[in-house]
Amino acid sequence: MAKAKEQDELEKSCFIISPFGNDGSDVRRKAEGLIESVIKPVLSELGFNAISSLDISKPGSITNQVINHLLNDDLVIANLSGLNANVMYELAVRHAKRLPVVSLVEKGTSLPFDIAQERTIFYEDDMKGVTSLKPALLQSVLDAIEEKEPDNPIYRVIQQSVIQKQIEAGSIND
């Protein structure tokens, strides 16, 4: 009860998207280890209430609940390790809303071309990696929440399209 009250007092919300796999799988173990050892402690230090889909116990559509978090939370942390299709979809939803995202991925992962040029924290999945990842994640979160108009592939295309239309209309000064 005290923990729930403590979490309610946190002002900022962060949704963590990650591959989870089945109970007991290596994917689940790695994801939960990363969340519990690195992501949640860093976010807690910054005053965020951080949750993942595994933390949602409310009855109803998990898809609706996840999308609600993607569209409304102050921050999203995206674990791109394993290049999970659901994670990529969820990242695109967040990009469409143009809200802050911090992406991280296990070293050795080759990111798809769509997001290969986006800032991503590459980490080692071991104890030393945990100590290296924490300050990098902390700084990335601080930078992300300070950004007034987060940059992402969707908004770069929209901006380019708007500029092109202005050029074609002959009103370059607009």
Side-chain angles (χ1 to χ4, degrees):
M1 182 74 164
K3 187 175 183 176
K5 183 179 180 190
E6 183 180 298
Q7 287 183 339
D8 287 343
E9 292 173 359
L10 296 174
E11 295 177 16
K12 299 172 277 188
S13 57
C14 178
F15 191 63
I16 303 163
I17 57 178
S18 177
F20 289 114
N22 297 322
D23 285 338
S25 68
D26 287 342
V27 170
R28 173 73 61 95
R29 185 170 170 81
K30 283 183 171 196
E32 288 183 335
L34 180 65
I35 290 168
E36 298 304 324
S37 299
V38 178
I39 298 173
K40 283 187 175 181
V42 166
L43 291 170
S44 178
E45 183 179 327
L46 295 172
F48 280 89
N49 178 25
I51 67 165
S52 72
S53 60
L54 296 178
D55 299 316
I56 301 172
S57 58
K58 183 179 174 182
S61 165
I62 187 68
T63 301
N64 288 354
Q65 294 164 351
V66 166
I67 291 174
N68 185 52
H69 281 284
L70 294 170
L71 296 176
N72 296 305
D73 283 12
D74 298 301
L75 177 69
V76 163
I77 303 290
N79 177 3
L80 306 177
S81 300
L83 306 177
N84 178 280
N86 289 340
V87 171
M88 296 302 176
Y89 175 82
E90 292 163 5
L91 178 61
V93 169
R94 183 65 176 195
H95 278 171
K97 186 72 181 217
R98 197 178 195 180
L99 291 171
V101 176
V102 173
S103 297
L104 44 91
V105 68
E106 191 172 350
K107 280 188 180 174
T109 303
S110 181
L111 294 173
F113 75 93
D114 307 79
I115 57 172
Q117 300 303 311
E118 303 306 304
R119 289 210 183 272
T120 304
I121 302 169
F122 285 82
Y123 68 91
E124 296 276 353
D125 185 28
D126 57 22
M127 294 302 289
K128 177 69 173 155
V130 167
T131 60
S132 299
L133 179 54
K134 282 183 175 181
L137 179 61
L138 179 89
Q139 189 59 56
S140 289
V141 169
L142 290 172
D143 292 343
I145 60 176
E146 202 168 287
E147 185 68 37
K148 299 297 180 220
E149 293 182 337
D151 182 38
N152 70 54
I154 293 173
Y155 275 85
R156 281 193 296 275
V157 169
I158 289 170
Q159 184 178 24
Q160 184 179 17
S161 176
V162 168
I163 291 169
Q164 186 61 40
K165 285 180 184 175
Q166 293 298 324
I167 291 170
E168 290 169 2
S171 181
I172 191 116
N173 294 330
D174 290 341

